[in-house]
Amino acid sequence: MKSTSSLAIDWNRPDLAEEEWEFSRHPDKQPFYARHGVTWERLLAAFDGGRLVPWPRSDQLDGLPVRLAYHSYDDYLTYLSRAKRGYRMNYRRMEEALQRDGSITLPAPIVLKCGDEALLFSGWRRLCLAWNCGMEPYVWVVTVEG
């Protein structure tokens, strides 16, 4: 899938193994996993059934609220532009490559759907990059059945 403006981002299916930290160590996501009984094994089993879906800048996707979406530009200013240098530098590298080359290829952010809510599992900086460049990004949506 491709998001475009005068710039372009090609979105690829992400590699779940590269995002394992988000499951095992991200403290703000643990309540969501516990509430929905999401285990790493259940996530692995559901992952291949995911699909790329466009996500206009919003705190909802397909009518479901997405926890930790941080979709507004004010959220970007609060959480990314003032973040620790290492966290910010990753975003800056992507932004510079996109501006320099005109297009880049990125793994799609991952959104988990469970029941009547969803969670931005990974890829927030990638979302910010697309949203801040006026693009509609694609995310890999995985439904984890309860």
Side-chain angles (χ1 to χ4, degrees):
M1 298 294 168
K2 185 179 277 195
S3 297
T4 61
S5 64
S6 59
L7 305 169
I9 299 174
D10 286 313
W11 300 100
N12 289 336
R13 180 179 179 227
D15 180 351
L16 184 60
E18 292 179 10
E19 309 288 355
E20 194 273 334
W21 184 93
E22 301 290 341
F23 183 80
S24 62
R25 294 191 218 138
H26 195 296
D28 295 338
K29 297 176 183 177
Q30 301 308 311
F32 182 91
Y33 305 143
R35 189 168 51 255
H36 294 285
V38 177
T39 63
W40 185 249
E41 292 75 23
R42 288 182 63 217
L43 180 53
L44 282 171
F47 195 76
D48 286 341
R51 59 191 173 89
L52 284 173
V53 174
W55 188 5
R57 192 172 211 149
S58 172
D59 62 349
Q60 294 193 6
L61 180 63
D62 293 335
L64 289 179
V66 181
R67 297 202 180 270
L68 305 179
Y70 303 127
H71 70 288
S72 74
Y73 190 71
D74 286 341
D75 290 333
Y76 161 78
L77 291 175
T78 299
Y79 298 115
L80 186 54
S81 69
R82 296 182 188 136
K84 291 181 181 178
R85 186 173 189 274
Y87 192 82
R88 248 187 0 258
M89 289 306 295
N90 181 283
Y91 177 85
R92 188 80 176 131
R93 277 189 228 107
M94 287 188 300
E95 184 179 49
E96 288 170 355
L98 180 59
Q99 296 294 333
R100 180 185 61 246
D101 301 336
S103 68
I104 59 174
T105 300
L106 295 172
I110 301 169
V111 173
L112 304 183
K113 288 174 71 173
C114 298
D116 59 355
E117 66 178 337
L119 171 75
L120 177 58
F121 178 78
S122 68
W124 183 67
R125 287 174 287 194
R126 289 170 266 164
L127 283 174
C128 285
L129 179 65
W131 285 337
N132 291 344
C133 289
M135 295 184 221
E136 184 174 88
Y138 282 77
V139 295
W140 186 255
V141 177
V142 179
T143 301
V144 182
E145 298 296 334

